[in-house]
């Protein structure tokens, strides 16, 4: 009996040891895979701009971390630099709470170093253009798209934007496909096709599982094949972006998400970039491993569309609420900071003409002057004497009204007028002027140097 119990214990001991070594080996493989992926995802060695020398700590210290998530379109050869997805988020490891806000792409904002108002989705492109120009000239880099976006958001929201994460559309699709799709309650019918960039959206309302391509169409839907009645606003898109993020977080916690960890890591290394350090990413994964969508708070922008400026306006009251929510999560004093969001609509339609319109008008003026000068030169070049004209044809002479005649009296034939002995000033263009006057047709003058013909009888003569 004791020998049987010892035998069973040995079997269980080996099973426990097997599971232990399997678990250790699996954890080691996961850790190695994660470290390998982070080597490609993190860009700690990226050249930094000169004005960004105030280094933010790269060590994970369980303090709140702020970052901006940018979604970029890098499909094919489109070379688009505008950012369709802009999400500001704060992660608080102590409370395991996430606060985030989707910023509409057309939100009006002031960009540091620029005059006037601009759409926020153009900030990244402007910073990248400045970087390219500086690289082309061989100058030191003073600005990049990421750095300019951080500075712009800091001035608008009132908190330091410490880090960034960029995700391209292809990576977004592939991550969702690796997760086996996500469950989404589609709010309305969406139909849109754009062969230029390969966009094809065909969704019906209701709860359903969306694959990567469908989920991308769900968050990007704006125009519709059926007309403006079915368009989606920037606010609709912002809400859908946050719905999809919460669905991805929940799916990552599921058995499918855990079992497909390595596949997700393979996608991540090719399509996601961040300036978070490896130590920070590992710490955040450990602290937020059990966090679900219930721990995520979405802040509404409360903005509205201004047709005059074509910008999204965020009223001052909403801006203050946004600033206070983020500052509280970051552990900062609730100070009312000045915001660079556009808080009031444009009062009147701008009348300033674009450079293209001004150039077109200038070109038309030049063409008009050239034609005018050409016409004047032609008139000067016309001879004033001995102008040869074609013989007058009968049909060219207008019919004159018949004159009453006395009995046995025939109408006299029309004879050309005798030339005057006095010299009259000649006008070679007189014929054309008279004939060209509508409703005022006069008999043409006859050049005396032309051969005379027989008088033409009146049409009323028998």
């Amino acid at each position: 009996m004791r020998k049987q119990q010892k035998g069973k214990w040995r079997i269980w001991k080996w099973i426990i040891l097997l599971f232990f070594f399997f678990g250790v080996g699996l954890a080691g493989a996961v850790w190695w895979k994660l470290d390998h992926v982070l080597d490609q995802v993190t860009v700690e060695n990226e050249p930094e701009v000169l004005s960004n020398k105030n280094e933010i700590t790269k060590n994970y210290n369980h303090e709140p971390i702020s970052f901006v998530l940018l979604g970029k379109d890098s499909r094919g050869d489109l070379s688009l630099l505008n950012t369709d997805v802009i999400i500001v988020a704060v992660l608080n490891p102590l409370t395991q709470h996430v606060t985030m806000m989707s910023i509409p792409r057309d939100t009006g904002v002031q960009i540091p170093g620029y005059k006037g108002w601009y759409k926020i989705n153009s900030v990244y492109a402007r910073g990248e253009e400045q970087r390219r120009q500086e690289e082309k000239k061989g100058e030191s880099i003073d600005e990049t798209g990421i750095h300019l976006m951080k500075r712009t958001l800091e001035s608008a929201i009132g908190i330091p934007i410490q880090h960034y994460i960029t995700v391209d559309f292809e990576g977004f699709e592939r991550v969702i496909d690796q997760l086996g799709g996500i469950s989404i309650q589609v709010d309305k019918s969406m139909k849109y096709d754009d062969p230029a960039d390969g966009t094809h959206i065909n969704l019906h309302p209701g709860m359903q599982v969306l694959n990567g391509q469908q989920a991308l169409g769900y968050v990007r839907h704006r125009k519709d094949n059926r007309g403006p009645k079915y368009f989606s606003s920037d606010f609709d898109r912002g809400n859908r972006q946050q719905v999809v993020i919460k669905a991805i977080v929940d799916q990552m916690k599921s058995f499918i998400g855990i079992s497909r960890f390595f596949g997700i890591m393979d996608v991540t290394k090719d399509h996601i970039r961040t300036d978070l350090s490896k130590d920070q990413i590992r710490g955040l994964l450990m602290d937020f491993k059990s966090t679900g969508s219930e721990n995520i708070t979405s802040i509404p922008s409360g903005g509205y569309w201004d047709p005059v400026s074509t910008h999204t306006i965020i009223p001052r009251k909403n801006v203050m609420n946004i600033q206070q929510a983020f500052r509280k999560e970051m552990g900062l004093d609730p100070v009312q900071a000045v915001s660079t969001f556009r808080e009031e609509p444009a009062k009147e339609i701008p009348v300033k003409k674009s450079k293209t319109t001004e150039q077109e008008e200038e070109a038309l003026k030049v063409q008009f002057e050239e034609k005018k000068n050409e016409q004047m030169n032609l008139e000067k070049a016309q001879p004033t004497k001995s102008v040869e004209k074609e013989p007058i044809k009968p049909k060219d002479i207008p019919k004159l009204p018949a004159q009453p005649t006395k009995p046995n009296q025939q109408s006299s034939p029309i004879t050309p007028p005798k030339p005057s002995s006095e010299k009259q000033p000649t006008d070679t263009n007189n014929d054309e002027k008279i004939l060209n006057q509508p409703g005022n047709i006069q008999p043409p003058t006859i050049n005396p140097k032309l051969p005379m013909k027989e008088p033409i009888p009146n049409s009323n003569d028998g």
Side-chain angles (χ1 to χ4, degrees), residues 169-180:
F169 288 170
E170 184 180 352
F172 176 86
E173 291 183 6
R174 292 183 59 187
V175 165
I176 293 178
D177 288 337
Q178 284 291 331
L179 291 172

Side-chain angles (χ1 to χ4, degrees), residues 363-418:
L364 290 174
K365 289 181 181 179
V366 172
Q367 293 178 6
F368 176 78
E369 291 296 331
E370 290 178 351
K371 289 183 178 180
K372 182 178 179 180
N373 294 335
E374 182 180 353
Q375 184 67 25
M376 292 176 63
N377 293 335
L378 288 175
E379 292 179 357
K380 291 179 179 179
Q382 289 180 354
T384 57
K385 295 181 180 181
S386 305
V387 178
E388 296 292 335
K389 294 187 178 180
E390 295 182 357
I392 299 176
K393 298 178 181 180
K395 64 179 182 179
D396 293 332
I397 301 177
K399 297 179 180 180
L400 298 177
Q403 299 294 332
T405 56
K406 296 180 181 181
N408 300 327
Q409 181 181 358
Q410 295 182 354
S411 60
S412 60
I414 299 175
T415 57
K418 296 181 180 180

Side-chain angles (χ1 to χ4, degrees), residues 49 81 111 114 122-134 141-149:
V49 295
L81 290 177
I111 304 175
Y114 290 76
S122 68
V123 175
Y124 179 85
R126 293 178 185 279
E128 283 299 289
E129 179 62 25
Q130 184 174 340
R131 177 186 64 81
R132 291 177 179 178
Q133 293 296 330
E134 291 169 349
I141 300 176
D142 291 328
E143 196 64 88
T144 65
I146 293 295
H147 185 246
L148 187 59
M149 179 64 78

Side-chain angles (χ1 to χ4, degrees), residues 81-122:
L81 290 177
N82 285 350
T83 47
D84 274 359
V85 178
I86 304 173
I87 298 176
V88 176
V90 174
L91 280 64
N92 191 334
L94 299 178
T95 60
Q96 294 187 356
H97 189 261
V98 179
T99 304
M100 67 178 184
M101 183 185 79
S102 294
I103 302 178
R105 52 174 280 175
D106 291 338
T107 299
V109 70
Q110 290 179 329
I111 304 175
Y114 290 76
K115 294 182 179 180
W117 299 100
Y118 298 87
K119 294 183 179 180
I120 197 166
N121 72 325
S122 68

